[in-house]
Amino acid sequence: MHALISPSILSADFANLERDLHRIGRADYAHVDVMDNHFVPNLTLGLPVVKRIIEVAPVPVDVHLMIEDADRWAVEYAHAGAASVTFHAEAAQAAVRLAREIRSAGARASIALRPASPVEPLLDLLPEFDMVLVMTVEPGFGGQAFIDGTLPKIRRLRAAVDEQGADTWIQVDGGVSRSTVATVAEAGANVFVAGSAVYGAPDPDAEIDALRALADEAIARR
């Protein structure tokens, strides 16, 4: 297992998105946050803009939907060409059915949990999801401090994935930087969303390499 880095373009310059997408060419994915100002108190991008991002991005696009009507909209992002589509467990009425629809549309299907949401309801359903995203900050805004209390959840999820032999990735999003990436990797994550840490660096691609190296070292120690 190797670490995958998915920089969040929430920290990019929205007036120069194509330029800033090409500043993360060494990333594994580009993480695109879609917010509706209902599920979270912020408003970002919608389907037409994300579709264009997918067309010009130098790496596959990892869409994170922080929206209320996930059952209605998630599959549309898969049809638009997203490599991975994440919806929130708290916003889906039929999570397994939705995940299967996303897969049928050609994307990886992922389910996300807010920091206070328990992971236990998902543990018997892990084969239905290609990835589980554990939010390590409250969703809605970039630049927040990492919540240490999410680490036990990541550990329980990793134990269940390993016990079942499931091919389910574990992603973390929020407060990921050089000071935290090894900690969450040791806890069990293998996909890391980093926004301000990457785009706030003088050389985003060099920062991606540094984060990946630190995470790989921690994964090897598990």
Side-chain angles (χ1 to χ4, degrees):
M1 179 181 293
H2 295 285
L4 302 175
I5 307 298
S6 184
S8 172
I9 67 166
L10 192 62
S11 296
D13 180 352
F14 273 30
N16 295 280
L17 273 180
E18 184 172 3
R19 180 204 68 189
D20 277 8
L21 283 164
H22 285 274
R23 295 178 70 203
I24 58 168
R26 293 187 60 79
D28 299 284
Y29 291 90
H31 189 84
V32 177
D33 292 304
V34 175
M35 306 181 194
D36 63 359
N37 199 33
H38 294 286
F39 183 72
V40 293
N42 199 2
L43 183 66
T44 56
L45 311 169
L47 183 60
V49 175
V50 174
K51 184 175 181 180
R52 183 65 179 137
I53 288 171
I54 292 167
E55 291 171 351
V56 303
V59 294
V61 171
D62 166 27
V63 174
H64 178 192
L65 299 177
M66 288 172 266
I67 62 175
E68 282 189 344
D69 198 1
D71 298 87
R72 162 67 179 85
W73 288 105
V75 178
E76 297 301 320
Y77 287 87
H79 287 312
S84 176
V85 178
T86 301
F87 60 91
H88 269 261
E90 305 90 354
Q93 298 298 314
V96 171
R97 181 179 67 199
L98 182 54
R100 290 177 177 181
E101 290 173 349
I102 291 169
R103 281 178 170 173
S104 294
R108 292 179 61 85
S110 172
I111 190 165
L113 296 168
R114 289 177 180 266
S117 295
V119 71
E120 282 70 20
L122 299 181
L123 297 186
D124 291 332
L125 300 170
L126 289 177
E128 299 287 350
F129 305 105
D130 296 300
M131 184 168 70
V132 178
L133 165 55
V134 177
M135 292 296 300
T136 46
V137 299
E138 290 294 341
F141 295 92
Q144 298 180 63
F146 182 85
I147 299 173
D148 291 323
T150 58
L151 290 170
K153 184 192 300 187
I154 298 168
R155 295 188 186 103
R156 291 195 298 275
L157 181 56
R158 170 51 60 195
V161 169
D162 290 348
E163 181 181 352
Q164 296 177 32
D167 187 24
T168 305
W169 295 352
I170 300 174
Q171 185 179 66
V172 292
D173 181 0
V176 174
S177 66
R178 293 197 196 198
S179 64
T180 59
V181 68
T183 300
V184 288
E186 287 177 348
N190 67 295
V191 187
F192 307 87
V193 178
S196 54
V198 169
Y199 278 109
D203 184 341
D205 268 339
E207 191 66 18
I208 289 165
D209 288 342
L211 291 170
R212 186 185 289 114
L214 289 168
D216 276 334
E217 290 174 6
I219 289 171
R221 293 195 296 268
R222 286 205 304 244

